[in-house]
Amino acid sequence: MKIAFTGKGGSGKSTLAALFVGYLRQSGRRVLAVDADVNVHLAPLLGVTADAERALSHPARTEAVRKHLLGTNVLIGGADRFVATTPPGPGSREVTLDPADPVLTGHAVALDERTHVMHVGTYEPESIGAGCYHGHLAVLENLLSHLAIGDGDWVVCDMVAGTDAFANSLHAQFDAIVVVVEPTPESVTVARRYRQLAEAAGTADLLVLVGNKVVDEVDADYLRRELGTEPVATLPAQAGLRRARQAGTSPRLDDVTPLRRIADVVRPVPPQRRAAALRALHLKVAGKDWVRSAYGDVTDQLGPVPA
């Protein structure tokens, strides 16, 4: 399964993603945790130092990952012609959660044999005034589209706050998108907007609304009323989680029922549906003037439509 966590900044999405990774580890699952937030919070929460040299968006790593994914696929035309939506094709290499997979051994930090952590990276001083974080995320999109994960395997991604996932193909890459919502007007507004955009993108059925920092029944009623539905799970405000963050240790929950509820509602997106959505997004990207100028015609990266 591939699951993303998003929400308004400060809603607790990174903490919840870290808790979910911990729950999956306790359940004996193989997990790849990806910190895709520009603020880079998930990796430290899992005890990983997010060095700039180890970031997926570091030019040397981006090139290495794309060369690996390219394999012998002649449709792409070379590792330098990858765009965010470039799909796998004949001869492309898949990425698995096998601990011996070259992408994991070369670009992830192993917490144990079954758990690996990657981070996309953030702005560096040389990028000031001349960089866009969406460009950093392109290699993550390439990685996600080339993933082949087995039964019981999970990819957990901590996303950029807000609705930035709709600026690219990330909203179509996951089996579920957890929108973390605090009982505040600002957080609810972000969740509503996310739902509106997901409906327009055809992915509204993949949203999982989770209430967080709920103090009492008044807060719970507020979320139900403002969201128009019962959140799949609700986590109370817990001082222990804040204390763990202040101490620089991984957060833990005594009661993992909310995390179990999240896992229980996730279902795999049919491969045909995902392939059709990503194909349409690739054609949309291919039509952009800046893409044509920089990469030429990338529509030829698509193979025949699957039967």
Side-chain angles (χ1 to χ4, degrees), residues 163-221:
T163 56
D164 272 5
F166 292 97
N168 42 43
S169 71
L170 287 172
H171 64 277
Q173 294 276 11
F174 297 98
D175 298 302
I177 300 173
V178 175
V179 182
V180 182
V181 195
E182 295 177 88
T184 65
E186 296 81 7
S187 190
V188 166
T189 297
V190 170
R192 286 174 175 167
R193 183 57 177 158
Y194 208 102
R195 185 162 54 191
Q196 291 170 352
L197 292 171
E199 289 171 352
T203 56
D205 60 316
L206 306 184
L207 297 191
V208 177
L209 299 178
V210 173
N212 193 29
K213 304 181 185 179
V214 174
V215 173
D216 51 27
E217 191 58 27
V218 175
D219 281 350
D221 284 340

Side-chain angles (χ1 to χ4, degrees), residues 253-277:
L253 281 180
D254 293 331
D255 181 7
V256 298
T257 301
L259 306 176
R260 186 178 298 116
R261 287 175 181 158
I262 295 171
D264 286 346
V265 300
V266 182
R267 298 291 181 271
V269 170
Q272 299 88 344
R273 171 182 170 181
R274 174 168 289 125

Side-chain angles (χ1 to χ4, degrees), residues 23-178:
Y23 166 72
L24 293 174
R25 293 180 71 188
Q26 291 176 10
S27 303
R29 309 298 181 89
R30 292 199 303 192
V31 185
L32 171 60
V34 183
D35 192 336
D37 191 349
V38 66
N39 295 307
V40 195
H41 290 317
L42 178 61
L45 280 168
L46 297 174
V48 173
T49 301
D51 294 327
E53 292 75 16
R54 293 199 65 90
L56 283 175
S57 62
H58 187 284
R61 291 191 180 274
T62 295
E63 181 182 13
V65 168
R66 286 175 171 166
K67 282 184 175 179
H68 176 80
L69 299 179
L70 177 65
T72 60
N73 184 353
V74 298
L75 295 179
I76 295 176
D80 59 344
R81 291 192 73 238
F82 269 82
V83 296
T85 53
T86 292
S92 295
R93 291 194 183 101
E94 296 178 328
V95 177
T96 72
L97 298 199
D98 187 309
D101 185 280
V103 173
L104 294 190
T105 58
H107 307 286
V109 175
L111 299 184
D112 54 54
E113 189 179 47
R114 304 177 68 84
T115 310
H116 291 79
V117 182
M118 292 177 169
H119 72 284
V120 172
T122 186
Y123 288 113
E124 300 300 333
E126 61 269 19
S127 300
I128 294 174
C132 173
Y133 189 66
H134 290 153
H136 286 19
L137 291 169
V139 67
L140 172 60
E141 296 175 73
N142 299 149
L143 179 64
L144 290 171
S145 64
H146 286 70
L147 270 173
I149 55 178
D151 291 341
D153 291 349
W154 285 79
V155 176
V156 180
C157 189
D158 181 26
M159 295 297 299
V160 177
T163 56
D164 272 5
F166 292 97
N168 42 43
S169 71
L170 287 172
H171 64 277
Q173 294 276 11
F174 297 98
D175 298 302
I177 300 173
V178 175

